[in-house]
Amino acid sequence: MFEPTISEICQEQGEFCTDLNQDHQCRYEKAEIIRHRYYHQNEATDGHKYDLLLKFEDYLTCIEKAAHIEHKKIRDKEATRLKGVLTARKEIDRLSRETRQSADPYLSYYQWSRYGHEDALQRFMHYSRTGQVNDPELLVNLASIQVKDDLNATINTLYKALSLYPGSDEVDEEIYATLVTIGMEKENYRMAYVWAGVLANYNDKVNSSQQAALAQKFGLPADVLDDVTEDITSALDSGKFDAQALGLYRL
């Protein structure tokens, strides 16, 4: 009834923990790997390996930085962090080899995005054409491929992704930035203005001056577009984003 702690998992099944660094560095990333190993230890399919690959990538990024920290007095900390680096690299290599021919769409995209395997890209695109893609992450991945050749298809894919998020907290903010960029490339400055406003609403670091510059340069009806922006953010917050209902195709 109670989820075991990381300490309890390591005491009961040390093999999930001993090949990682043993000091306090990268505690969150390390815990994610240990929990994943524990809960999927008896899983026979490849599906869970995509998440594990991403967790090892996050862990490797963290532990490589930590391994460069010099400890003149406590040299064993350097050794345990180096062990973590070697484990992460080895596991990423092993999992990548094991899933090289996987038909799983997540793993197919991984194989293409990390290693450029064209056959993996074809498997991913075949899956996307079946209409079975109903996961925002996969749709964002699909859009990253479409954006090179078909901006309209990219917009449709990103709008579908937005419609599947349960609330704005879960949305990948890169979607907003991509839609701004597409609006500029298509010279649809109303679209760029609206999505720049959405991005600024959810990211305090974004300067809203871009909107003012767009409105002034292209004579945009800022008041009307601000209302559209507000409607979009309200829909995203409530998990009810619908591009058609919001009239976004008329921008």
Side-chain angles (χ1 to χ4, degrees):
M1 292 180 63
F2 299 97
E3 181 177 305
T5 64
I6 296 300
S7 178
E8 290 170 342
I9 292 174
C10 292
Q11 288 175 5
E12 294 173 8
Q13 294 177 278
E15 67 273 17
F16 296 150
C17 312
T18 54
D19 60 346
L20 306 172
N21 66 298
Q22 300 302 302
D23 65 341
H24 69 281
Q25 291 291 332
C26 307
R27 184 176 300 172
Y28 172 79
E29 291 82 1
K30 181 170 64 174
E32 287 289 291
I33 290 172
I34 293 170
R35 287 196 183 93
H36 190 96
R37 285 172 158 181
Y38 177 79
Y39 286 114
H40 297 276
Q41 57 185 300
N42 297 317
E43 195 163 326
T45 61
D46 282 346
H48 75 97
K49 294 179 182 179
Y50 172 74
D51 287 336
L52 187 55
L53 277 163
L54 297 188
K55 293 181 190 305
F56 265 115
E57 286 184 344
D58 290 342
Y59 174 69
L60 179 60
T61 299
C62 178
I63 200 64
E64 279 185 329
K65 291 179 181 178
H68 291 139
I69 301 174
E70 294 184 5
H71 292 270
K72 295 180 180 180
K73 295 182 180 180
I74 311 176
R75 305 297 295 184
D76 59 333
K77 285 191 176 182
E78 292 179 2
T80 190
R81 291 171 188 174
L82 178 59
K83 178 170 67 173
V85 170
L86 295 176
T87 292
R89 291 175 179 171
K90 180 185 70 176
E91 285 298 281
I92 289 172
D93 182 64
R94 178 184 68 82
L95 291 165
S96 295
R97 282 186 282 104
E98 287 181 1
T99 59
R100 171 65 183 86
Q101 301 296 334
S102 176
D104 180 272
Y106 296 91
L107 289 166
S108 295
Y109 181 80
Y110 184 91
Q111 289 290 337
W112 176 75
S113 63
R114 301 307 193 272
Y115 305 107
H117 297 311
E118 288 295 325
D119 58 322
L121 174 60
Q122 294 307 313
R123 290 195 297 273
F124 177 78
M125 295 305 292
H126 174 74
Y127 182 85
S128 70
R129 286 191 292 270
T130 65
Q132 300 178 69
V133 184
N134 288 301
D135 175 76
E137 181 182 352
L138 276 183
L139 288 166
V140 171
N141 291 343
L142 174 60
S144 72
I145 298 170
Q146 294 173 322
V147 73
K148 300 173 184 177
D149 303 306
D150 193 334
L151 294 181
N152 288 330
T154 306
I155 293 170
N156 290 335
T157 297
L158 292 177
Y159 283 172
K160 182 177 180 181
L162 290 174
S163 73
L164 296 172
Y165 284 106
S168 57
D169 290 343
E170 290 79 14
V171 176
D172 181 351
E173 289 185 7
E174 281 301 312
I175 294 176
Y176 310 142
T178 300
L179 289 169
V180 173
T181 301
I182 291 175
M184 295 299 295
E185 289 188 15
K186 287 174 62 67
E187 298 184 358
N188 184 341
Y189 302 115
R190 294 188 177 204
M191 174 185 174
Y193 179 97
V194 163
W195 287 106
V198 174
L199 179 60
N201 182 77
Y202 293 113
N203 190 328
D204 294 336
K205 297 180 181 179
V206 174
N207 192 331
S208 59
S209 62
Q210 180 183 10
Q211 282 184 286
L214 283 172
Q216 182 176 8
K217 183 174 182 179
F218 300 105
L220 304 180
D223 291 343
V224 174
L225 296 178
D226 286 340
D227 288 341
V228 176
T229 299
E230 187 175 340
D231 290 341
I232 291 173
T233 57
S234 177
L236 289 168
D237 290 342
S238 62
K240 297 179 180 179
F241 178 87
D242 183 332
Q244 197 71 46
L246 289 164
L248 299 186
Y249 291 104
R250 298 195 299 272
L251 284 175

